[in-house]
Amino acid sequence: MAITLHLCRIPAGRSDLSLPESLAGPGAAALRRRSSRPLSVRCSGEPSPFPASSSSSSVVADGDFDAKVFRHNLTRSKNYNRKGFGHKDETLQLMNREYTSDIIKTLKENGNVYTWGNVTVKLAEAYGFCWGVERAVQIAYEARKQFPDEKIWITNEIIHNPTVNKRLEEMEVENIPLEEGQKQFDVVNKGDVVILPAFGAAVEEMLTLSEKNVQIVDTTCPWVSKVWNTVEKHKKGDYTSIIHGKYAHEETVATASFAGKYIIVKNMKEAMYVCDYILGGELDGSSSTKEAFLEKFKYAVSPGFDPDNDLIKAGIANQTTMLKGETEEIGKLVERTMMRKYGVENVNQHFISFNTICDATQERQDAMYKLVEEKVDLMLVVGGWNSSNTSHLQEIAEERGIPSYWIDSEQRVGPGNRIAYKLNHGELVEKENWLPEGPITIGVTSGASTPDKVVEDVLVKVFDIKREEALQLA
């Protein structure tokens, strides 16, 4: 069956875009360099949405790229899979052997509280692997089972957890190499398998891979896809997407690629700056000139962004791992700003909002807020050091003034009563005698990308330290 695509615009100003060699003819070489204007590709063919050999491919200037249509067609091509390959039971059994924990099982069987020796552990009600992460890892395992001899690549870490990523490396799933910050897709050959991680992949990367006639295994979390749908709605209504996230995070990069006009704000302070600019400095006076605005957000706006024209209509979206409360506050701030600027009666013409907060992120944050109200001597937050959702769990504990230690594996504990941990803002700290003497109560949580086995390994180290202490005092 032939697949026909609509007119597609490749975003201007993107230096990381790989254009297919099949786009030959006058000007083709220039298209492979950094473009100064939107470019269009009209494609039809079989089986890939963008077949490298299609003689009907043509390059047209100043068109409209419909990312939603492109992805719709890509997901229906025979070289695309997002549902696994029929090995679910077998791969889940393997994951259970590798990632589950008897200690966590004991805690769950006893109301999430249990005492080993002189250590009482209180486990958060929601913690660890979320459904989207488990699904992504399981499909990646299936890919190796389905393609035992093929070269398998992955565009980014499958999730932000070193234990899981190391396991995939052992299975010979290789990262696309980077050179000067750019992914080198030229290493990928026809017939290879390429996994898209739980965070998703940018449209430009999907375009490049579809040209190569590779097997695409898409493990993108459905919650991330929901955010993509939201920014598509913003684009359709000519609203600029204000994305609450970290501009260099893989998920936010992917989300921005589906947006039209966008600006990425990391926190409430940056959102205040944007809203102050909208109001001409009458909110808190934090903003200044247009030039200063563009310098501040030079890595966090769409190409050609003009704050004078592109902040008249705005919609809110978020990186799914950000703090729920902060996303909501940013949304309320932008809505109030538009009311003040254009009048309450006109706010719907200038502001739009959809709920894009991930259930799993919200549940873990809510559980952490509840856990910090418990009587604990300290908190252990276990998760990858580049994990955004884990950083916010650490943030909740720090804000309550509880001694809290964010570590990515048991290797950060020891030798002896020593720990190397990370603070929410990124500082790496080493501390001696971090475990108090005598009986202690520890609160424990873990990020949405953290297997239970990693938490168990950390707790075993804690039990060993306290056991050694008891022997010395005996």
Side-chain angles (χ1 to χ4, degrees):
M1 179 181 69
I3 299 174
T4 302
L5 289 191
H6 292 68
L7 197 64
C8 309
R9 177 178 61 81
I10 299 167
R14 295 302 297 261
S15 61
D16 57 342
L17 180 59
S18 298
L19 289 173
E21 293 298 326
S22 62
L23 297 182
L31 298 182
R32 294 187 180 92
R33 298 193 294 269
R34 186 178 180 91
S35 174
S36 59
R37 61 177 179 169
L39 302 173
S40 302
V41 181
R42 187 187 302 275
C43 312
S44 64
E46 184 180 11
S48 170
F50 284 87
S53 61
S54 173
S55 60
S56 62
S57 294
S58 62
V59 181
V60 185
D62 300 321
D64 293 319
F65 175 52
D66 194 328
K68 187 174 183 179
V69 169
F70 164 70
R71 187 164 181 265
H72 173 88
N73 284 276
L74 177 64
T75 59
R76 281 152 182 79
S77 67
K78 71 176 185 179
N79 287 350
Y80 176 93
N81 183 289
R82 62 178 172 185
K83 296 182 178 179
F85 300 93
H87 309 299
K88 185 174 182 178
D89 290 343
E90 183 179 350
T91 51
L92 282 177
Q93 287 175 12
L94 177 59
M95 288 172 60
N96 284 336
R97 290 197 299 270
E98 294 179 346
Y99 298 134
T100 56
S101 158
D102 289 337
I103 288 177
I104 298 299
K105 182 181 178 182
T106 298
L107 281 161
K108 290 172 68 175
E109 290 172 348
N110 291 275
N112 287 28
V113 180
Y114 199 77
T115 300
W116 286 268
N118 58 356
V119 180
T120 297
V121 177
K122 293 185 176 181
L123 180 67
E125 291 180 358
Y127 61 90
F129 262 12
C130 66
W131 171 80
V133 162
E134 182 174 316
R135 170 185 172 275
V137 176
Q138 185 265 318
I139 293 175
Y141 272 49
E142 276 202 58
R144 178 42 87 196
K145 176 71 176 176
Q146 181 71 15
F147 304 102
D149 301 317
E150 282 82 350
K151 187 79 168 180
I152 300 185
W153 302 94
I154 189 164
T155 59
N156 279 306
E157 292 180 338
I158 185 80
I159 57 174
H160 283 161
N161 182 268
T163 300
V164 176
N165 293 322
K166 185 170 185 266
R167 181 70 183 97
L168 288 180
E169 287 178 13
E170 292 169 352
M171 295 165 65
E172 298 185 349
V173 175
E174 296 186 34
N175 292 312
I176 301 287
L178 283 172
E179 240 179 65
E180 297 182 354
Q182 300 296 318
K183 292 177 186 173
Q184 304 302 303
F185 285 99
D186 56 346
V187 301
V188 181
N189 298 312
K190 179 179 178 179
D192 288 354
V193 178
V194 181
I195 298 173
L196 309 184
F199 309 109
V203 172
E204 295 92 334
E205 295 182 0
M206 295 184 194
L207 176 68
T208 298
L209 294 171
S210 71
E211 284 287 343
K212 287 180 169 288
N213 198 24
V214 299
Q215 175 69 49
I216 296 175
V217 179
D218 188 355
T219 74
T220 303
C221 175
W223 276 101
V224 174
S225 300
K226 181 180 178 182
V227 180
W228 295 352
N229 292 336
T230 293
V231 297
E232 285 280 359
K233 291 175 183 176
H234 295 168
K235 181 167 59 176
K236 187 175 181 180
D238 200 28
Y239 290 84
T240 291
S241 295
I242 298 178
I243 303 171
H244 178 212
K246 301 169 183 177
Y247 69 80
H249 190 282
E250 301 99 307
E251 180 188 325
T252 299
V253 170
T255 295
S257 77
F258 281 91
K261 295 170 291 186
Y262 67 82
I263 181 169
I264 300 164
V265 296
K266 183 179 180 180
N267 49 36
M268 192 66 173
K269 183 178 179 181
E270 290 189 355
M272 287 286 287
Y273 185 100
V274 171
C275 289
D276 186 70
Y277 188 90
I278 292 172
L279 294 174
E282 295 181 3
L283 182 59
D284 66 353
S286 59
S287 66
S288 56
T289 64
K290 177 178 178 178
E291 292 71 23
F293 184 105
L294 292 173
E295 175 63 24
K296 181 178 179 67
F297 293 102
K298 62 184 176 182
Y299 300 118
V301 292
S302 50
F305 189 87
D306 182 350
D308 294 336
N309 296 320
D310 295 338
L311 291 172
I312 294 172
K313 298 174 67 177
I316 299 297
N318 70 306
Q319 181 182 312
T320 59
T321 54
M322 302 301 281
L323 272 175
K324 167 197 171 186
E326 189 169 46
T327 296
E328 292 174 337
E329 285 303 310
I330 288 171
K332 291 174 185 176
L333 172 65
V334 176
E335 183 178 34
R336 291 195 303 268
T337 297
M338 294 306 188
M339 287 179 179
R340 183 170 168 181
K341 177 85 171 179
Y342 300 105
V344 175
E345 68 279 8
N346 298 314
V347 68
N348 291 337
Q349 299 172 32
H350 298 273
F351 176 76
I352 189 170
S353 180
F354 303 94
N355 179 18
T356 59
I357 295 171
C358 167
D359 280 350
T361 299
Q362 179 178 332
E363 288 166 1
R364 280 149 188 74
Q365 290 173 6
D366 290 347
M368 188 60 167
Y369 279 117
K370 187 173 181 180
L371 185 59
V372 295
E373 296 298 328
E374 299 276 339
K375 186 176 180 180
V376 296
D377 296 298
L378 58 93
M379 196 74 69
L380 267 173
V381 178
V382 186
W385 277 347
N386 58 346
S387 166
S388 177
N389 78 87
T390 309
S391 75
H392 294 302
L393 299 177
Q394 173 72 6
E395 181 179 355
I396 292 168
E398 288 182 10
E399 286 179 347
R400 295 302 175 95
I402 298 172
S404 187
Y405 304 92
W406 173 17
I407 59 177
D408 60 351
S409 74
E410 84 286 353
Q411 296 177 16
R412 310 300 176 184
V413 181
N417 193 2
R418 178 189 298 173
I419 192 169
Y421 65 101
K422 211 172 185 183
L423 298 175
N424 165 57
H425 56 73
E427 181 184 355
L428 183 61
V429 179
E430 292 189 7
K431 185 175 181 180
E432 296 278 358
N433 300 317
W434 68 285
L435 291 175
E437 290 186 359
I440 59 172
T441 299
I442 300 177
V444 175
T445 191
S446 55
S449 298
T450 307
D452 290 353
K453 183 64 168 62
V454 177
V455 180
E456 174 177 291
D457 292 343
V458 170
L459 288 174
V460 167
K461 281 283 192 80
V462 171
F463 299 156
D464 287 345
I465 293 170
K466 295 300 288 182
R467 187 181 300 112
E468 182 65 26
E469 172 196 294
L471 290 173
Q472 290 177 0
L473 293 175

